[in-house]
Amino acid sequence: MEGKEKKSGFSSKIGFVLAAAGSAVGLGNLWRFPYLAAQYGGGIFLLVYLLLAVTFGFALMVTEIALGRKTGKSVIGAFSELHPKFSALGWVAAAVPLIIFPYYCVIGGWVIKYLWVYLVGQGASAADDGTYFSGFIGNLGPSAFFMFLFMAITALVVMLGVEKGIEKVSKIMMPILLLISVVIAGYVLTIDGAMAGLIYYIKPDFGNFSIKTLIAAMGQLFYSMSLAMGILFTYGSYMRKEDDLESSVRHIELFDTGVAFLAGLMIIPAVFAFSGGDESALGTGPSLMFITLPNVFESMAQGRLIGIIFFILVMLAALTSSISLMETLVSVLCERTKMKRIPACLVVFAVSMGLAMLSVLGYSSWSHVTIMGRQILDFFDFISNNVIMPLVALATCVLVAYVLGTKTVEEEVEQQNHTFKAKKLYRIVVRYIAPVILLMIFVSSLLGVV
Ligand code: PHE
């Protein structure tokens, strides 16, 4: 009996880590991280990101999971229980997925399109300098269709509520994704000219540092670790009291950062190799993955097969994340309006389709429209990651450090005799470092520095 109990405790911690990692590992790691690293200075971006992940990312993830577990509530309920003055904060945090989910589906649609291209054996036509890709996103019909497809699959899963199945799939899929990434990255490094890219990616050049590097790295941290949008509160509320919170957070972080690092290793050296060392090729932004990798696959012996496997895995990783995004929206709607699950799914679907169409149009019929100098999809990405999330994170830190006291979180981490190993670091980060950096980011985002 006793052995059994221990085992179920253990497997439940693994289950928690994997579920959170499934939400965390997605397009943020595979698509967003490499293009940001390429754009914002390579090695220096990587260094800043890693430093932020082990300090700031760690502290915020611990805080969110601990507060979720302590209150047993979603982000809206948790904040109003913790402090009535902070209840609006829960709402702001819960609104973030509404901005992210629609445009996430746009990129998800691009992934399905590329999977299709490889399935029908047309990978060669996608391997060019970007003409194929811009032709595709510039064409309203097809890009709207693939976005719709991705969102419809997500909605179907959320309606059916087959979370168990998804969890099982991600347990098998995540290791395969890691393996394939290692194979592709290994291959990329053998291509002529890739070494210069590797150096650019891993060797920090302090001359490349600017406030933009910091802001971009911080925004990426929120996005990639699913922070500052209430998701981890919900996950925390499902976590068992006897599970070690601190080490779970370390594992989730390791997984998330590991996949991001590998994605950069696949893409950045390849950009160097195929552009003949032309650094301007690094600044192509969101389209980087869709332009560079087809060239890599084209030059590989089994390129078509690798292309198929790769895009299937990216699609699955993206789906597990988009499902968790939509699930959050649906559960907030159900909780607040007493609506039933299926109608709530339809409402979220309809609203998100509308918002996603704005992003799709932003690359096609409305490509002349810019908001704060950005295309529509970029604008949604920017406003959520660089403005709202820092604000939510700042308010969370202030609440914990100066209103409730860090004890609230520390005691939760130390439940059932666990020691909080990084307690000192945690205090310093939440009290001083995080608020200062967050304030800086918020202000410079608003002033349009980035
Ligand atoms: N973290 C996910 C990614 O890296 C995106 C995401 C954000 C998923 C928020 C769920 C919630 O792609």
Side-chain angles (χ1 to χ4, degrees):
M1 187 64 202
E2 217 207 295
K4 221 176 166 187
E5 258 178 34
K6 262 190 191 149
K7 191 160 175 261
S8 79
F10 177 67
S11 73
S12 138
K13 185 188 155 200
I14 294 280
F16 172 78
V17 169
L18 282 177
S23 160
V25 175
L27 293 170
N29 311 61
L30 298 159
W31 154 76
R32 202 172 186 274
F33 181 85
Y35 88 70
L36 288 178
Q39 208 169 356
Y40 290 106
I44 189 72
F45 179 88
L46 185 63
L47 181 69
V48 171
Y49 183 82
L50 291 178
L51 285 177
L52 287 176
V54 294
T55 54
F56 181 80
F58 169 77
L60 208 64
M61 195 180 253
V62 166
T63 304
E64 294 195 9
I65 295 178
L67 295 180
R69 187 167 80 172
K70 185 182 168 64
T71 57
K73 297 212 166 111
S74 76
V75 67
I76 298 179
F79 276 121
S80 44
E81 179 179 317
L82 289 165
H83 201 287
K85 283 220 173 97
F86 283 76
S87 58
L89 188 61
W91 284 96
V92 179
V96 175
L98 187 61
I99 305 177
I100 295 190
F101 177 61
Y103 85 78
Y104 205 83
C105 291
V106 176
I107 321 282
W110 299 352
V111 174
I112 300 190
K113 156 78 182 176
Y114 274 68
L115 172 59
W116 176 250
V117 165
Y118 281 92
L119 278 173
V120 298
Q122 286 173 358
S125 52
D128 60 16
D129 56 357
T131 324
Y132 183 88
F133 180 74
S134 39
F136 162 60
I137 61 169
N139 201 344
L140 181 61
S143 50
F145 169 75
F146 282 104
M147 175 275 286
F148 172 80
L149 199 62
F150 186 88
M151 197 184 284
I153 299 174
T154 307
L156 214 62
V157 177
V158 174
M159 274 185 202
L160 296 174
V162 290
E163 289 127 51
K164 288 264 155 57
I166 280 290
E167 251 184 63
K168 275 200 190 120
V169 173
S170 48
K171 268 186 208 168
I172 309 168
M173 190 190 80
M174 289 291 165
I176 304 180
L177 181 67
L178 276 181
L179 191 74
I180 289 277
S181 308
V182 172
V183 171
I184 300 176
Y187 170 76
V188 163
L189 293 180
T190 66
I191 306 176
D192 260 0
M195 274 307 143
L198 177 67
I199 292 171
Y200 174 78
Y201 180 45
I202 58 174
K203 190 165 163 251
D205 175 351
F206 290 88
N208 281 341
F209 181 82
S210 73
I211 179 84
K212 292 184 186 189
T213 316
L214 186 67
I215 295 178
M218 190 67 126
Q220 173 60 14
L221 195 69
F222 289 129
Y223 190 90
S224 188
M225 293 192 181
S226 315
L227 295 168
M229 56 184 104
I231 289 190
L232 294 171
F233 280 79
T234 309
Y235 276 81
S237 71
Y238 298 145
M239 190 185 189
R240 296 161 50 124
K241 292 276 184 196
E242 62 263 44
D243 292 337
D244 184 343
L245 202 152
E246 187 179 14
S247 81
S248 301
V249 169
R250 290 276 183 225
H251 286 130
I252 300 167
E253 269 194 322
L254 193 67
F255 220 112
D256 191 66
T257 311
V259 175
F261 177 74
L262 278 173
L265 212 53
M266 282 190 282
I267 293 180
I268 297 175
V271 179
F272 266 78
F274 288 102
S275 66
D278 174 10
E279 289 211 4
S280 69
L282 291 168
T284 50
S287 56
L288 193 65
M289 174 168 114
F290 299 94
I291 297 172
T292 312
L293 285 180
N295 282 299
V296 174
F297 297 151
E298 198 45 34
S299 73
M300 286 172 96
Q302 288 295 329
R304 179 176 171 194
L305 185 65
I306 303 258
I308 293 175
I309 300 174
F310 178 80
F311 281 110
I312 287 181
L313 294 170
V314 177
M315 185 181 78
L316 293 176
L319 275 173
T320 54
S321 297
S322 73
I323 289 164
S324 79
L325 279 164
M326 184 168 173
E327 176 69 39
T328 314
L329 292 169
V330 170
S331 61
V332 168
L333 194 63
C334 287
E335 195 184 292
R336 294 291 133 179
T337 64
K338 308 278 177 272
M339 222 184 236
K340 291 251 171 346
R341 191 170 179 84
I342 303 271
C345 284
L346 294 175
V347 171
V348 170
F349 183 77
V351 173
S352 307
M353 268 304 284
L355 289 170
M357 275 314 287
L358 297 178
S359 293
V360 171
L361 283 164
Y363 282 117
S364 46
S365 315
W366 294 353
S367 56
H368 54 283
V369 178
T370 54
I371 314 173
M372 291 168 73
R374 293 176 164 80
Q375 275 179 301
I376 299 175
L377 188 148
D378 262 3
F379 172 73
F380 282 140
D381 185 81
F382 169 79
I383 201 81
S384 49
N385 296 288
N386 297 48
V387 182
I388 306 180
M389 288 163 160
L391 195 65
V392 172
L394 177 63
T396 310
C397 289
V398 170
L399 174 67
V400 168
Y402 300 106
V403 182
L404 302 171
T406 51
K407 271 229 146 9
T408 321
V409 167
E410 288 160 17
E411 281 169 7
E412 189 57 39
V413 176
E414 288 165 345
Q415 283 271 352
Q416 317 223 351
N417 294 331
H418 288 295
T419 37
F420 189 174
K421 296 191 200 80
K423 185 149 72 180
K424 284 220 176 78
L425 175 77
Y426 177 78
R427 284 186 185 159
I428 297 174
V429 172
V430 174
R431 283 186 192 150
Y432 312 110
I433 304 183
V436 171
I437 299 185
L438 286 166
L439 203 63
M440 240 164 68
I441 288 182
F442 182 64
V443 171
S444 36
S445 291
L446 282 190
L447 292 179
V449 177
V450 214

